[in-house]
Amino acid sequence: MKNKQNIKQPTYALISVFDKTNILNLAKSFIKNNITIISTGGTAKFLKDKKIPTIPIEQITKMPESFDGRMKTISFQIASGILFDRHNKTHQKETETLNIPHIDFIVCNFYPFKEKPGIEMIDVGGPTMVRAAAKNYHSVTVIVDPKDYESVKKEIENNGETTEELRKQLAAKAFSYVADYDGMIANYFQTQTQGSDKFISLVNGNPLRYGENPHQKAVFLGDDTKDTLGLGKFTILQGKETSFNNYLDLDSGVAAASLLGGKKPACIIFKHTNPCGAATAPTIDEAFQQAWFGGDSLAAFGGVILFNRPVTQQLAQAMVADKKFFEIIAAPSFSSGALKIFSKRPKLQLLANKALENPQLVPYDEVKKVRGGFLIQDTDTNLLRKNQLQFITKKKPTPQQLTDLLFAWKICQISKSNCVVLAKDGVMLSSGVGQQDRKRCCELCVSKAVKSVTGSVAATDGFFPFRDGPDVLIQAGIKAILQPGGSIRDQETIDACNEAGVAMVFTGVRSFKH
């Protein structure tokens, strides 16, 4: 190992890892390049069993590992060996006087607090060493991710040492690693004490082509979630990179698929984060045909489409017929025949995720950045049940109408407020979204419908403040309406429905989405 200061002291690497993935090859490289290994506890035993020579840490600290392993690496000798300034002659002399080892490599990962949260999983010595090494990156290499072992190994074997550029990159990763770890622990205590602070961990940044518009920079940052339907868990089989707007549409699609579940084949089509087509049917082919032709096919052009069943060659053929165009198709899987058909449209992105076959509602923190701060709330995973409904008109919905009302309500949950959705026989017929008043939502919804809405049902995400909205729906031929209720003029809307022989049902909850 080269030493820029020409100091005769040996160079040390301190290895203390819980996750021992690929550590053996790195340790062998250290030994091959005359770097002496110091190790602790389980790591020392692992290396010893593999015939890798190591110095037990107590030989350096002059103290045994104590208190069930709570005290191992925290010591003057270890911290000094990491932190001293190699370019400072006084520091160099002090290391000789105090017999401080030159620890130029720290290889460390922590107790798995995320998998086993609890007091005994809080690592203290590891973060201390990692922070010290990252601070002193000008001279010390810190490695917290097994994925980086190979690059460190190559530089040592090629140059006898690591480059400052690599050390700085590894230091940045190390500080992020420590911050993420501390954030998990902080959130654990916040939950235990019912505190209000939140720490959000964002990792594996992926630069995007641009943001909502070409002049905006953007990046996707994963949250290291175990959620199998997290947007970073999809496999790209074909097509261009996922854009900022694609992620937004895909997120809405995953939410909708999770609300609809996997019991029935379902197809949902999105444009600008709002559903413009949705259907459940006996087969996935029927679900697509009904979602496309039963809903707003004009808006669906160039949209994002999700299936909760595999895409077959037959379905793929139907999707490309008549010059239909989509930005993204997401499904549990694609047959080889379907892939061959879609290959003729190389820009079309195909995303596969087996979890779409049985999508589950998963609660998580929903974060919105506002100027000067953040808004954080629980995501809306409220799955409305029949036994929660209040039947408040003389006319009651039929079993099929009730099923359709609940279907329309789920579409409302992932549509921008204010929102009104029309549905019939498990098919979304039309929606009016993003309007400032509910009457215009009703008018827009009715006017956009491609097919007759007579005999269909309607759901809305908030209560009707006046009877004018229901009047629009009634005149269009809607036979049942679902709304939260709670207006001081509820009786007016009830009377309007009773006069027309239309069923109205209250949910008792609203579903705004801004």
Side-chain angles (χ1 to χ4, degrees):
M1 174 74 179
K2 296 178 183 178
N3 194 303
K4 289 174 285 188
Q5 288 76 37
N6 297 315
I7 299 174
K8 299 297 183 181
Q9 290 93 336
T11 296
Y12 292 89
L14 197 160
I15 305 178
S16 179
V17 291
F18 186 90
D19 177 4
K20 296 173 179 60
T21 303
N22 296 331
I23 193 61
L24 189 59
N25 285 338
L26 181 62
K28 288 179 178 178
S29 181
F30 284 148
I31 298 302
K32 180 181 176 182
N33 287 275
N34 300 316
I35 301 169
T36 304
I37 297 174
I38 304 168
S39 59
T40 65
T43 304
K45 182 179 184 305
F46 174 83
L47 294 175
K48 184 178 179 182
D49 290 344
K50 301 297 182 181
K51 311 301 182 184
I52 301 295
T54 69
I55 296 176
I57 196 166
E58 51 264 39
Q59 186 173 320
I60 304 296
T61 63
K62 308 303 181 185
M63 289 289 178
E65 292 188 20
S66 306
F67 310 112
D68 295 321
R70 287 191 174 198
M71 283 296 292
K72 287 183 292 194
T73 60
I74 299 175
S75 74
F76 178 83
Q77 288 83 0
I78 296 299
S80 299
I82 301 168
L83 276 171
F84 83 91
D85 184 353
R86 274 68 168 169
H87 301 282
N88 186 310
K89 291 183 179 180
T90 302
H91 286 200
Q92 292 174 17
K93 289 180 180 178
E94 284 184 282
T95 63
E96 296 174 12
T97 303
L98 299 171
N99 196 26
I100 299 297
H102 289 209
I103 303 175
D104 288 346
F105 296 87
I106 292 292
V107 188
C108 184
N109 55 63
F110 308 155
Y111 297 148
F113 187 89
K114 184 176 184 179
E115 288 74 21
K116 298 178 181 179
I119 297 298
E120 291 307 317
M121 286 293 107
I122 299 176
D123 202 323
V124 177
T128 300
M129 291 193 299
V130 167
R131 284 177 58 85
K135 174 182 177 178
N136 207 18
Y137 76 87
H138 287 294
S139 304
V140 180
T141 305
V142 57
I143 316 138
V144 296
D145 186 349
K147 294 176 184 176
D148 294 316
Y149 292 169
E150 189 60 29
S151 58
V152 171
K153 179 173 173 286
K154 284 181 179 178
E155 288 204 1
I156 292 173
E157 292 178 353
N158 292 335
N159 307 316
E161 60 186 353
T162 55
T163 62
E164 183 162 333
E165 180 182 359
L166 177 62
R167 292 195 296 271
K168 192 171 186 178
Q169 291 172 359
L170 294 175
K173 180 178 279 192
F175 278 123
S176 294
Y177 182 66
V178 174
D180 179 51
Y181 190 75
D182 287 342
M184 284 190 288
I185 297 169
N187 283 337
Y188 169 80
F189 276 99
Q190 289 292 331
T191 302
Q192 296 286 314
T193 60
Q194 297 184 334
S196 58
D197 288 342
K198 294 277 187 179
F199 290 84
I200 301 169
S201 172
L202 300 174
V203 296
N204 300 323
N206 177 32
L208 305 178
R209 297 197 307 272
Y210 51 79
E212 285 183 286
N213 301 291
H215 60 273
Q216 294 173 271
K217 294 181 180 179
V219 64
F220 172 78
L221 290 157
D223 60 5
D224 200 25
T225 179
K226 292 182 179 179
D227 179 9
T228 53
L229 275 176
L231 300 193
K233 302 294 178 67
F234 283 75
T235 301
I236 301 176
L237 302 179
Q238 172 189 297
K240 54 188 178 183
E241 295 178 10
T242 311
S243 72
F244 187 94
N245 293 333
N246 291 157
Y247 272 113
L248 293 176
D249 285 329
L250 190 60
D251 185 52
S252 295
V254 168
S258 300
L259 285 166
L260 293 175
K263 290 184 179 180
K264 294 181 179 180
C267 171
I268 315 109
I269 309 172
F270 278 82
K271 192 69 169 290
H272 302 309
T273 72
N274 285 305
C276 51
T280 59
T283 68
I284 198 63
D285 296 67
E286 292 176 78
F288 167 69
Q289 294 291 344
Q290 292 174 6
W292 178 267
F293 292 108
D296 188 349
S297 58
L298 181 65
F301 188 85
V304 170
I305 185 167
L306 284 90
F307 296 100
N308 65 357
R309 295 290 187 275
V311 175
T312 63
Q313 181 175 344
Q314 179 179 321
L315 177 55
Q317 191 63 57
M319 294 183 72
V320 300
D322 303 322
K323 297 183 178 180
K324 297 184 187 73
F325 170 64
F326 300 101
E327 282 272 350
I328 292 178
I329 303 173
S333 61
F334 296 78
S335 72
S336 57
L339 291 173
K340 185 176 181 180
I341 289 171
F342 290 135
S343 67
K344 296 175 183 177
R345 298 186 177 184
K347 291 184 179 180
L348 170 64
Q349 188 180 66
L350 304 181
L351 298 177
N353 188 324
K354 187 68 176 174
L356 275 176
E357 205 152 51
N358 186 30
Q360 302 292 312
L361 286 171
V362 175
Y364 58 87
D365 286 335
E366 195 172 278
V367 182
K368 294 180 185 290
K369 178 70 178 78
V370 295
R371 191 162 178 170
F374 292 85
L375 295 171
I376 301 178
Q377 66 175 357
D378 297 334
T379 194
D380 184 5
T381 56
N382 181 47
L383 196 58
L384 195 62
R385 307 289 184 183
K386 291 180 182 179
N387 60 8
Q388 297 174 256
L389 302 177
Q390 305 165 46
F391 302 92
I392 44 80
T393 51
K394 295 175 184 178
K395 186 79 172 179
K396 308 304 177 189
T398 66
Q400 182 59 52
Q401 287 173 339
L402 193 55
T403 298
D404 286 337
L405 286 170
L406 291 172
F407 171 78
W409 176 258
K410 291 171 182 175
I411 303 303
C412 279
Q413 279 185 268
I414 38 89
S415 299
K416 290 291 191 289
S417 298
N418 286 327
C419 169
V420 174
V421 171
L422 303 183
K424 187 177 182 180
D425 298 329
V427 179
M428 172 186 157
L429 300 180
S430 183
S431 69
V433 297
Q435 301 303 301
Q436 290 92 338
D437 69 87
R438 210 156 293 278
K439 180 186 177 184
R440 284 188 176 85
C441 277
C442 295
E443 293 172 340
L444 178 61
C445 188
V446 169
S447 68
K448 285 176 63 180
V450 177
K451 294 184 176 181
S452 171
V453 298
T454 301
S456 64
V457 305
T460 184
D461 56 347
F463 65 65
F464 288 105
F466 304 97
R467 65 172 285 168
D468 53 2
D471 283 339
V472 170
L473 299 175
I474 291 167
Q475 289 167 16
I478 278 73
K479 296 302 180 184
I481 300 172
L482 184 72
Q483 63 137 320
S487 168
I488 60 173
R489 294 185 176 85
D490 273 347
Q491 193 58 49
E492 292 181 17
T493 61
I494 295 170
D495 291 343
C497 290
N498 282 332
E499 291 166 11
V502 169
M504 179 171 278
V505 182
F506 284 179
T507 66
V509 295
R510 75 180 189 195
S511 188
F512 282 169
K513 187 176 179 64
H514 291 88

